[in-house]
Amino acid sequence: MQYFLDRIRIAVAEATRTPPDQIRVEQPRDASKGDFAVPCFVLAKAANANPAQFAAELATKLAGDLIEMEVAVAGPFLNFRVERGELAKRTIESILDAGLSFGSSEEGRTKRIVIDMSSPNIAKPMSVGHLRSTVIGAAVKRLHKFLGFETFGINHIGDWGSQFGKLVAAVRRWGGGVDLENDPIKALLDLYVRYHEEEGKDPSLDEEARAAFRELESGVDGEVRAIWRRLTELSLAEFEKIYARLGVEFDLVRGEAYYETHLDATVQRIVDAGITEESQGALIVDLESIKKGMPPCLLRKTDGTTLYATRDLAAVFERWELHHFERCLYVVGMDQRLHFQQLKAVLKRLELFWEPRVVHVDFGMLRLPEGKMSTRKGRVVFLDDVLDRAVQEARRIIVEKNPGLADLDRVAEQVGVGAVVFNDLKRERVKDIEFVWEEVLSFEGETGPYVQYTHARLSSILRKAKESGEGAVPPDWGAVGDAASVLLSLGRFPQVVRSAAEHAEPSEVTQYLLGLCRETNSWYASTRVLGEAPPATAARLALVAAIQTVLATGLGLLGLAAPAEM
RNA sequence: GCGCCGGUAGCUCAGCUGGAUAGAGCGUUGGCCUCCGAAGCCAAAGGUCACAGGUUCGAAUCCUGUCCGGCGCACCA
């Protein structure tokens, strides 16, 4: 499709003697107007002419140039309609030539993208809330990789901070009665909830927790540290199971605790830069000069221990030294927006030129119908349960609709998990989501299984064609003339991928796939592929193969499987 | 109180860096499997694009203000 866009842009540029990059070629919302359009308002203004008249004159100038398309004048718009056979041939052949790499590129070569994603907290269950960071991060990573970037995904585990003092204190007090081996996450959650229940009644608990964290941070290798280490191991093992189901991998899994030994140097570096000050006994960086009203960044508390921000600074410094990243993306919820603004503000005060490359890829919060999720109150939906129920539902439907399916377990897993993942990537990142079981477990309409199903049907046709040997004649491209909207969508795929990566917005891909499936299914319902005149069948089979390829690629980028049968 | 984000059909959302008559899904109603997979397709109904100003040839889209909702605001992460 880029081909046609370029043809139009260059022709118009020459005819109007305007630089090509200033010519805007768009696709009309209303397909009946044409495949492409050039609004002439701006061009006419530059020529000091009436837009409609300008368009009409331009059309006559273009007449000889663009032989493969019709040029029509509609008031101030110039509409282009590509000859159907030409549109089909160019689009389909470029996709089938490239195969699964259609839409990929090398434009990111030598550039490195660091992505901080998932980053759950130790000793807490992974909730559907963490799913967003994991799934968005993984998709953003794949998108970049597809465009040739070197990607580096980091799971920055929350294994440090005063909350672990609380947990260690809780384990010491009540740990004997809790089964940490069998269902460790559940047991830890119970401890966590119990701590917060009893904290109010028993002030000594708080002191114990503080003491425990002080000991932890002092580096003493005693009982506190042993307990902490055990909690970490148990949690990581549980997390791994979920990542395996989601098909998510990291290049580095590292707890915040790692930065323990870097903290003094980090603080020193900032002190040496002369931007710190003492305030109410704490060590801070004032940020008023960056943005009026922004709260200061705390590096050290009154008691000398460090904070989240200190550790994130240590981490970002190291990431820069190691990767010299093009961008460092933090896929973290919106509730931490201020934190990242402060982080960037400190980098600004340090006058680090790479500060703009640090980007907070934020996303909206997930709520339950009964209110905000709260680990402390035990009001959470566990990710494992969601996946299990979705897979169970997928299995039920498969048994009902496709009882003969050979690989039931595997496909049910692919479809069920796919539904959950797709559902999370469907909307724009910034939007808050209310978690509704009914919606997550729905497999109809704008869902992952809908896309997978479309893919499976196309695969089915291709399978049958292979068996019967159809399609082995030169195609009659005119036979897919009724699929123009599908062809135009297929042609857009590379731009969609590029835009989604740039904006770190996987929903651009999900929305695109839904549209492509809608158009495909509509076409499919009205046009027969197999058993038609051989050249027609050949062309339609090629189209089916092209769509199937793009769907498979798109699903893959989002982290969904594309089963051939379901 | 201050700051950030959102507000489009009954519900959930698209609407591409401002362009031609604002589109889907769910739900509702009515159709379509002797034909490549009905997890599908077709059709109908459903809109003061929160509200008020402004910029522009042109605003759901940009600016200002108001209202509503979410989130955040120094020793949690």
Side-chain angles (χ1 to χ4, degrees):
Chain A
M1 185 166 86
Q2 195 58 46
Y3 170 81
F4 298 114
L5 290 171
D6 289 343
R7 291 269 296 152
I8 294 169
R9 188 173 288 118
I10 288 165
V12 173
E14 279 175 5
T16 59
R17 287 196 260 187
T18 315
D21 56 329
Q22 283 179 30
I23 309 283
R24 170 138 192 199
V25 185
E26 40 188 64
Q27 293 189 53
R29 228 193 284 278
D30 177 1
S32 69
K33 295 201 162 59
D35 303 332
F36 306 102
V38 174
C40 295
F41 302 98
V42 182
L43 291 168
K45 197 166 196 175
N48 211 358
N50 169 287
Q53 206 175 343
F54 184 91
E57 284 166 17
L58 182 52
T60 56
K61 283 190 210 164
L62 293 174
D65 282 345
L66 299 166
I67 46 168
E68 76 277 36
M69 41 188 122
E70 274 171 38
V71 184
V73 183
F77 288 90
L78 222 48
N79 293 325
F80 302 83
R81 185 185 154 93
V82 180
E83 194 276 309
R84 286 333 190 202
E86 183 70 12
L87 177 65
K89 182 177 190 304
R90 290 224 175 246
T91 306
I92 293 171
E93 284 182 347
S94 67
I95 294 169
L96 296 183
D97 286 350
L100 289 174
S101 59
F102 177 69
S104 71
S105 81
E106 289 298 311
E107 64 197 73
R109 209 156 44 98
T110 74
K111 291 176 185 161
R112 187 164 272 226
I113 307 290
V114 174
I115 305 172
D116 186 307
M117 52 193 263
S118 196
S119 306
N121 291 325
I122 293 297
K124 287 191 192 173
M126 207 169 318
S127 72
V128 287
H130 292 289
L131 180 65
R132 296 212 80 190
S133 174
T134 308
V135 155
I136 291 170
V140 167
K141 187 181 162 190
R142 286 187 214 95
L143 285 164
H144 280 93
K145 200 161 200 172
F146 196 56
L147 294 175
F149 290 91
E150 288 175 34
T151 57
F152 196 81
I154 302 177
N155 193 358
H156 188 67
I157 304 284
D159 64 350
W160 205 245
S162 45
Q163 57 168 322
F164 294 100
K166 296 178 184 178
L167 258 169
V168 170
V171 170
R172 275 174 153 173
R173 281 216 181 179
W174 312 302
V178 185
D179 182 5
L180 284 179
E181 299 302 324
N182 275 331
D183 194 349
I185 299 288
K186 185 73 177 39
L188 289 169
L189 180 64
D190 289 345
L191 283 176
Y192 191 73
V193 172
R194 182 164 175 190
Y195 178 92
H196 283 284
E197 279 168 5
E198 303 206 9
E199 181 184 37
K201 304 176 218 160
D202 184 357
S204 68
L205 203 52
D206 184 54
E207 187 35 48
E208 271 180 48
R210 286 176 176 281
F213 183 56
R214 264 198 304 278
E215 183 180 330
L216 199 55
E217 197 161 52
S218 73
V220 173
D221 198 359
E223 188 200 356
V224 169
R225 201 167 196 81
I227 293 173
W228 169 79
R229 198 155 27 218
R230 183 101 190 93
L231 297 180
T232 305
E233 286 162 5
L234 290 170
S235 295
L236 282 177
E238 287 300 307
F239 294 159
E240 266 318 310
K241 292 182 196 165
I242 289 180
Y243 292 135
R245 294 186 79 174
L246 295 173
V248 173
E249 288 174 4
F250 302 93
D251 299 290
L252 177 67
V253 178
R254 178 177 276 171
E256 283 183 89
Y258 165 86
Y259 295 100
E260 208 181 345
T261 54
H262 296 50
L263 293 175
D264 287 341
T266 299
V267 172
Q268 194 57 47
R269 172 175 177 173
I270 299 167
V271 170
D272 288 346
I275 62 170
T276 55
E277 50 195 87
E278 289 263 331
S279 173
Q280 301 168 33
L283 184 68
I284 69 162
V285 179
D286 186 86
L287 302 173
E288 283 281 346
S289 63
I290 301 295
K291 188 166 197 282
K292 192 163 47 118
M294 184 179 283
C297 177
L298 266 81
L299 298 178
R300 270 194 207 286
K301 298 190 274 195
T302 316
D303 66 4
T305 57
T306 60
L307 290 102
Y308 183 38
T310 325
R311 297 188 285 276
D312 255 3
L313 281 163
V316 79
F317 289 151
E318 195 192 57
R319 288 175 189 182
W320 173 254
E321 309 290 323
L322 252 40
H323 302 293
H324 290 88
F325 44 75
E326 179 74 11
R327 293 204 291 171
C328 178
L329 307 176
Y330 287 87
V331 185
V332 181
M334 290 233 296
D335 52 344
Q336 293 190 41
R337 212 158 207 234
L338 178 60
H339 166 72
F340 285 105
Q341 280 175 349
Q342 290 178 305
L343 188 76
K344 282 168 67 67
V346 172
L347 300 180
K348 252 183 222 165
R349 286 214 58 191
L350 290 169
E351 296 175 355
L352 296 166
F353 78 92
W354 46 269
E355 176 273 331
R357 300 186 181 193
V358 176
V359 178
H360 179 202
V361 177
D362 56 356
F363 53 85
M365 306 310 293
L366 198 134
R367 281 190 318 279
L368 298 177
E370 56 268 35
K372 196 184 170 185
M373 291 216 286
S374 165
T375 313
R376 293 183 188 192
K377 294 174 185 157
R379 192 168 65 205
V380 289
V381 177
F382 302 120
L383 185 47
D384 248 335
D385 294 342
V386 177
L387 295 177
D388 286 344
R389 281 181 64 173
V391 170
Q392 192 188 332
E393 177 69 3
R395 171 189 297 270
R396 188 185 69 71
I397 294 175
I398 293 170
V399 167
E400 178 192 317
K401 304 194 184 227
N402 192 4
L405 185 62
D407 219 346
L408 176 63
D409 286 337
R410 195 174 57 92
V411 177
E413 176 80 13
Q414 291 177 333
V415 173
V417 173
V420 175
V421 170
F422 194 92
N423 182 255
D424 225 40
L425 296 176
K426 193 160 72 177
R427 309 161 186 78
E428 228 183 335
R429 264 173 20 222
V430 295
K431 292 207 153 90
D432 287 349
I433 298 183
E434 190 182 59
F435 182 87
V436 182
W437 277 105
E438 193 189 2
E439 227 170 275
V440 177
L441 297 180
S442 160
F443 292 5
E444 288 171 18
E446 298 178 325
T447 65
Y450 170 69
V451 179
Q452 290 174 317
Y453 177 71
T454 306
H455 174 270
R457 289 166 100 192
L458 300 180
S459 302
S460 175
I461 294 179
L462 294 173
R463 199 164 47 238
K464 292 194 162 109
K466 203 170 180 183
E467 286 163 9
S468 67
E470 286 188 80
V473 299
D476 166 20
W477 295 116
V480 289
D482 60 341
S485 65
V486 178
L487 291 166
L488 289 167
S489 284
L490 288 173
R492 267 176 52 224
F493 184 63
Q495 283 114 286
V496 170
V497 170
R498 195 174 305 127
S499 174
E502 191 180 326
H503 301 140
E505 185 62 88
S507 73
E508 291 182 20
V509 177
T510 53
Q511 292 297 333
Y512 166 82
L513 291 177
L514 289 171
L516 178 58
C517 286
R518 202 181 305 128
E519 289 157 352
T520 296
N521 283 319
S522 182
W523 172 75
Y524 174 100
S526 65
T527 309
R528 235 192 119 68
V529 176
L530 299 176
E532 300 292 294
T537 287
R540 290 174 190 163
L541 276 172
L543 174 60
V544 167
I547 302 168
Q548 191 238 22
T549 299
V550 171
L551 289 181
T553 305
L555 285 170
L557 288 170
L558 296 173
L560 275 81
E565 292 178 75
M566 63 187 269

